Amino acid sequence: MTRMEKEKVIVLIGPTAVGKTNTSIELAKRFDGEIISGDSMQIYRKMDIGTAKITTDEMEGIPHHLLDIKDPDEPFSVAEFQQLVRKKISEIHSRGKIPLIVGGTGLYIQAVLYDYHFTETPGDEEYRAELEAQGDKRGSVWLHQQLEKVDPISAKNIHPNNIRRVIRALEIFHCTGKTMSEYQEGQSHELQYDVALVGLTMDRDILYKRINLRVDVMMNLGLLDEVKGLYDEGVKDVQSVQAIGYKELYDYFDGKIGLDQAIETLKQNSRRYAKRQLTWFRNKMAVTWYDMTEGSQHSKIIDDISEFIAGKLQLKSNK
């Protein structure tokens, strides 16, 4: 497929609280775009405040996709995300619009943009069944410890309660002798689209202050009630509530820690996540970065980003 035949896609990435939402709306207006959420947790219904999901007012009439498509007790995989987003990209182009993927979940976005073949991921049903039985007998912590022994990197990135993903990582190692990250490295690095990949960054101290403030705002908006609603419904030991903002408050509802400590831990985990996001994007993807530290220069930054996108994709800006 030649460059001219590839569908054009704008991608906006960056750590939590850096200003992706406002920037994405501005860019969608300028390039007649529709926005696809690139966040692995905003797909869940009833999880609005803790995932910093965009509100209808904030959308300013710009169509948004892949929000609120799953119940919190439903699993969701990178492979499913890849399939859904690629379908949306084609749909948006068929309307004569430009798709704009916005988010911070690095692996998910990378899987869409590059030639990842999840159907070719090796499997062993017998071994998987054995691990599931051992998990039922010995518990999720034991399973996670087995993963730590063979694949410490994946073990660090996968929560012990995410049993399905722990087992998948063990299965990949069992079948290939490679860790999950090594297996993913072996995937093709050819871009599937004509992409303008834009990253937003910020002075770390200022970003961390913004993250702390965001958590305070979330609490004022009713995050505690949002999480309590899920807790009272019995939504436990599933993928969705391992998200930052939910697991910390679950510990509070379980009586493991006090509320003040839960909020402090939430802030700390959010800061650490932002750091991991930046590391991932810088190591794994060819991003053109824009520094958002100077808030007063926001309109100039938008102009610079727009100029880059217009040149990279040969698009005309509405400004």
Side-chain angles (χ1 to χ4, degrees):
M1 190 182 280
T2 67
R3 184 179 186 276
M4 293 303 291
E5 290 173 324
K6 290 181 179 179
E7 293 171 313
K8 298 177 191 295
V9 178
I10 302 167
V11 181
L12 181 67
I13 59 171
T16 185
V18 79
K20 294 188 296 293
T21 299
N22 290 341
T23 304
S24 68
I25 296 297
E26 289 293 326
L27 293 176
K29 287 177 182 175
R30 293 195 182 198
F31 292 101
D32 205 11
E34 295 187 16
I35 292 173
I36 302 170
S37 171
D39 186 291
S40 62
M41 289 298 155
Q42 292 185 355
I43 56 140
Y44 290 110
R45 303 179 190 101
K46 302 179 185 177
M47 295 177 64
D48 302 332
I49 300 169
T51 63
K53 198 177 291 174
I54 190 168
T55 65
T56 305
D57 285 346
E58 288 170 336
M59 290 180 187
E60 296 187 35
I62 302 294
H64 280 65
H65 305 277
L66 263 58
L67 300 173
D68 301 322
I69 61 169
K70 292 273 186 181
D71 287 328
D73 58 356
E74 291 183 273
F76 190 64
S77 68
V78 187
E80 187 177 357
F81 179 82
Q82 181 195 60
Q83 185 182 15
L84 289 170
V85 173
R86 287 183 174 177
K87 187 179 175 189
K88 286 292 177 191
I89 287 171
S90 293
E91 285 176 8
I92 291 166
H93 270 288
S94 73
R95 292 191 285 272
K97 307 280 189 178
I98 297 294
L100 172 57
I101 303 173
V102 181
T105 308
L107 176 61
Y108 280 58
I109 293 172
Q110 193 179 28
V112 171
L113 300 181
Y114 293 90
D115 193 19
Y116 273 38
H117 296 288
F118 293 99
T119 52
E120 294 173 11
T121 309
D124 181 336
E125 287 184 23
E126 225 173 276
Y127 179 72
R128 192 185 318 144
E130 182 189 322
L131 287 177
E132 287 167 355
Q134 290 290 342
D136 290 341
K137 184 179 174 183
R138 303 189 185 199
S140 59
V141 173
W142 179 85
L143 268 180
H144 196 260
Q145 286 168 346
Q146 306 316 299
L147 182 59
E148 280 179 336
K149 291 174 187 175
V150 298
D151 187 357
I153 295 171
S154 293
K156 188 179 177 185
N157 292 327
I158 302 171
H159 193 279
N161 287 352
N162 194 345
I163 293 172
R164 187 177 61 87
R165 193 141 172 78
V166 170
I167 288 175
R168 191 72 193 102
L170 282 165
E171 189 181 5
I172 287 172
F173 184 79
H174 169 76
C175 292
T176 67
K178 295 179 181 178
T179 64
M180 183 184 271
S181 53
E182 285 173 334
Y183 185 81
Q184 288 164 351
E185 283 293 325
Q187 299 274 11
S188 166
H189 291 288
E190 184 190 345
L191 280 166
Q192 300 301 289
Y193 299 97
D194 194 1
V195 179
L197 185 50
V198 175
L200 304 183
T201 186
M202 185 176 280
D203 174 83
R204 186 164 288 179
D205 288 340
I206 294 173
L207 180 65
Y208 286 176
K209 283 176 186 172
R210 283 171 63 97
I211 289 169
N212 291 340
L213 178 61
R214 172 180 272 195
V215 172
D216 291 335
V217 169
M218 284 177 172
M219 292 303 295
N220 290 334
L221 288 172
L223 178 60
L224 194 65
D225 289 337
E226 178 174 283
V227 181
K228 185 68 160 62
L230 296 169
Y231 185 88
D232 289 345
E233 283 179 22
V235 180
K236 295 176 185 176
D237 300 324
V238 292
Q239 185 177 339
S240 63
V241 293
Q242 302 312 320
I244 295 169
Y246 296 85
K247 60 184 178 183
E248 297 85 1
L249 293 176
Y250 263 58
D251 283 345
Y252 163 64
F253 293 130
D254 282 337
K256 295 177 183 175
I257 55 176
L259 182 57
D260 287 347
Q261 188 184 343
I263 294 168
E264 214 36 63
T265 304
L266 168 48
K267 289 178 179 178
Q268 185 183 60
N269 287 343
S270 297
R271 294 192 300 268
R272 286 174 175 167
Y273 178 57
K275 186 179 178 183
R276 287 200 306 273
Q277 285 175 302
L278 281 167
T279 301
W280 173 279
F281 291 131
R282 284 178 176 145
N283 290 344
K284 303 275 188 180
M285 302 169 92
V287 183
T288 301
W289 292 96
Y290 293 87
D291 193 326
M292 305 294 284
T293 303
E294 295 293 335
S296 59
Q297 299 293 313
H298 185 73
S299 59
K300 184 185 182 306
I301 295 168
I302 298 292
D303 287 344
D304 290 346
I305 294 172
S306 298
E307 190 178 331
F308 164 72
I309 292 170
K312 184 81 168 61
L313 300 182
Q314 284 126 46
L315 291 174
K316 189 177 178 183
S317 171
N318 289 331
K319 190 186 175 189

